[in-house]
Amino acid sequence: MKKIMNIVYLTALATLIGSFVMVMYLIPKIKYIVERRNLIDHPDKRSSHKNLTPTMAGVAFFLTLIFALNLLDTWDVDGVGINLIAALTIIFALGLKDDLIISTPKAKIGGEILAISFIMFCNCMQITSLDGFLGINEISPLVSYVLITLMILTIVNSYNLIDGIDGLASTIGIVIFSTFGFIFFIAGLHFYFIFCLCLVGMQVAYLRYNLSKTKKIFMGDTGSLTIGFCIGFLSLKFLSLDALELSALSFIPENKLFVIVSILFIPLFDTLRVIGVRLMNKKGPFTPDKNHIHHVLIDSGLSHVKASVFLGFLSLGLSVFFISLSLYIKSFQMLVVLAISFLLLLTVFDRLKNNVRTENRFKYLVRAIHFLF
C-alpha cells in the first residue's frame, strides 16, 4: 500500500509540474500567433481593461489536458478519459469559434449539451438517487439526465461569466480544483485527484501571464469554457459517489449537492445576483453589463489583483465553512444556512455598490480589504 501511495505522490507531483511547464511554454507561442493574426481583444464599454490584449490562452489549456489525459490513461480505472477528451474537443471548438466569431447563445448551449452527453452516459457518472436531499431519494433516469445537464450548464456558464478581471477566473479555479483534489484524494480516487492537480498547475502558470503588464494574455472562451466544463465534470463525479465512497469523507450523503454549491459558491452567487439585477432593471438575463461582483470591487477602488485575491480567499473561506457544516447538519438545515449566507453577501455587495456613489459605513469594509489584500 505504501509503495502504491508513493507512486501516486510521484505521479501527482510530476503532473502538477508538467502541466505548469507545458502551459508556460505554450502561451508565448500562442500569444505570438494571436498577435501576428491580429486576434486581439478590443475593450468595450463594459471591459475592465483599456489596452488591446491577446486572447485564446485556452488553447494551451486544451492541448495540455489532452496530453495529460493520454498519459494518465493507466490511472483511469473508470475508463472515462476518452469520453472526456471527446467532450472537451467539442467545448474547445465552441470556445474557439466564440473567440474568433461571436456565437449565438443557442449555438453555445446546444454544443455544451452535446458535450455533456459524452460524459453523463458513462457508467461511472450515473446518478440514481439523491440520497435524501431535501427528502428526495430515488430518481428516474430522465430526471437524472435533466439534473446533470442543468447542473453542468450552470457551472460552465457561471465560470465563464466570472472571467472579467485579471487573475480572478484562475484564482477561483485554483481554489475549486484544490478543494476537489483534496476530496478525491481522501476518497482514494487517484485519477481524479491527479487530474485536479493538472488543472491547478495549468491555472498557476496562466496566472503568471494574466497578471503580467508586458506579457498579458486572456484565456478567452477557449479557456473559460474548457475550465468550466472540467469543473462540471468533477462536480458530476462527486455527485455520483456512493455511500461507501463518501464514508471516508464523513459527508452526510444527502448534502452532496450542497457540497458542490459550497465549492462553487462565488461563481454561482455572482451569476444569480447579476441575473437578478438585470431582471429588476427590465433587461434580458444575458445582457452584458458591469454589475458583476468583481466590477463592484473594482469600482470601489480595488486593483484587479486585490479584488481577485479577496474573492479567492472569500471562496476558500466559504467552501471550508459550508463543507464543515455539511458534515454535521441535514440538507434542510444546510439550505437555510446557504440561503442566509446568500442574502448577507447580497446585502454586502449591494452596500458596496452604493458606497461607490455615496460614502456610507461600508467604506470601512473597502478600507479593510485594501489593508488586508
Side-chain angles (χ1 to χ4, degrees):
M1 184 65 181
K2 185 177 180 180
K3 185 177 180 181
I4 293 174
M5 289 309 300
N6 286 337
I7 296 173
V8 171
Y9 295 144
L10 287 174
T11 305
L13 182 61
T15 303
L16 177 67
I17 295 173
S19 61
F20 174 86
V21 171
M22 189 166 179
V23 171
M24 285 289 289
Y25 172 78
L26 287 173
I27 284 183
K29 313 298 181 185
I30 295 165
K31 186 173 183 290
Y32 173 77
I33 295 171
V34 167
E35 290 175 335
R36 286 293 298 271
R37 295 297 179 181
N38 197 31
L39 305 174
I40 306 293
D41 180 77
H42 293 269
D44 54 30
K45 62 182 180 180
R46 62 181 292 271
S47 298
S48 298
H49 305 84
K50 297 180 180 179
N51 301 321
L52 299 177
T53 308
T55 186
M56 295 203 300
V59 174
F61 299 167
F62 175 72
L63 294 175
T64 302
L65 283 171
I66 299 303
F67 184 70
L69 286 169
N70 277 283
L71 288 181
L72 296 175
D73 183 62
T74 54
W75 292 93
D76 183 16
V77 294
D78 291 333
V80 73
I82 189 66
N83 299 73
L84 182 56
I85 288 174
L88 286 173
T89 302
I90 294 171
I91 291 295
F92 172 73
L94 283 174
L96 187 61
K97 182 177 183 289
D98 205 42
D99 282 336
L100 297 174
I101 306 170
I102 301 299
S103 300
T104 63
K106 288 183 179 180
K108 287 178 69 173
I109 291 175
E112 289 166 8
I113 291 174
L114 177 61
I116 292 168
S117 68
F118 275 92
I119 59 171
M120 74 175 172
F121 293 116
C122 296
N123 291 331
C124 61
M125 296 289 179
Q126 296 299 304
I127 300 172
T128 58
S129 173
L130 294 183
D131 302 298
F133 169 77
L134 300 181
I136 304 170
N137 287 290
E138 298 300 317
I139 57 175
S140 68
L142 178 60
V143 172
S144 174
Y145 297 147
V146 171
L147 172 65
I148 291 170
T149 302
L150 290 176
M151 180 185 76
I152 298 181
L153 281 176
T154 301
I155 291 171
V156 171
N157 291 287
S158 294
Y159 187 79
N160 187 36
L161 286 174
I162 208 168
D163 182 25
I165 60 174
D166 293 340
L168 180 56
S170 46
T171 300
I172 295 294
I174 290 168
V175 171
I176 291 171
F177 293 128
S178 297
T179 307
F180 271 126
F182 177 77
I183 289 172
F184 289 129
F185 175 75
I186 299 299
L189 300 171
H190 299 143
F191 170 74
Y192 300 95
F193 163 62
I194 296 170
F195 183 63
C196 286
L197 288 188
C198 172
L199 289 156
V200 170
M202 286 166 42
Q203 294 298 285
V204 173
Y206 166 70
L207 200 59
R208 163 70 178 80
Y209 290 102
N210 189 221
L211 295 178
S212 172
K213 292 183 178 180
T214 59
K215 301 177 181 179
K216 187 183 297 296
I217 188 171
F218 298 151
M219 66 170 66
D221 276 14
T222 52
S224 60
L225 292 181
T226 298
I227 298 301
F229 191 84
C230 289
I231 295 173
F233 166 74
L234 294 169
S235 299
L236 176 57
K237 179 57 187 178
F238 176 77
L239 195 60
S240 68
L241 298 181
D242 57 33
L244 182 62
E245 292 170 311
L246 285 171
S247 62
L249 301 165
S250 301
F251 284 129
I252 298 175
E254 68 185 76
N255 283 332
K256 284 192 292 185
L257 265 174
F258 283 138
V259 170
I260 294 171
V261 172
S262 302
I263 296 172
L264 303 171
F265 192 84
I266 291 299
L268 295 176
F269 167 78
D270 181 58
T271 299
L272 290 174
R273 178 189 170 277
V274 80
I275 288 176
V277 170
R278 289 168 184 171
L279 292 176
M280 285 192 297
N281 292 331
K282 297 181 179 179
K283 296 180 179 179
F286 304 108
T287 304
D289 56 28
K290 295 188 71 172
N291 281 310
H292 291 278
I293 55 176
H294 50 267
H295 289 137
V296 174
L297 294 174
I298 294 297
D299 291 341
S300 297
L302 270 67
S303 66
H304 284 221
V305 174
K306 285 188 176 183
S308 296
V309 172
F310 169 69
L311 289 174
F313 271 97
L314 182 61
S315 177
L316 179 61
L318 289 172
S319 296
V320 172
F321 173 68
F322 292 136
I323 291 174
S324 299
L325 278 181
S326 72
L327 303 177
Y328 304 104
I329 65 177
K330 299 292 186 177
S331 57
F332 282 103
Q333 295 167 302
M334 276 295 296
L335 178 61
V336 173
V337 172
L338 284 166
I340 292 173
S341 301
F342 182 90
L343 291 174
L344 286 174
L345 209 56
L346 196 64
T347 302
V348 169
F349 278 98
D350 180 62
R351 295 298 177 88
L352 279 175
K353 189 170 180 64
N354 290 336
N355 185 66
V356 175
R357 298 188 296 269
T358 59
E359 286 291 317
N360 57 38
R361 62 191 177 190
F362 273 75
K363 65 185 178 183
Y364 298 110
L365 175 59
V366 176
R367 292 176 184 175
I369 296 172
H370 269 292
F371 177 75
L372 292 172
F373 297 96

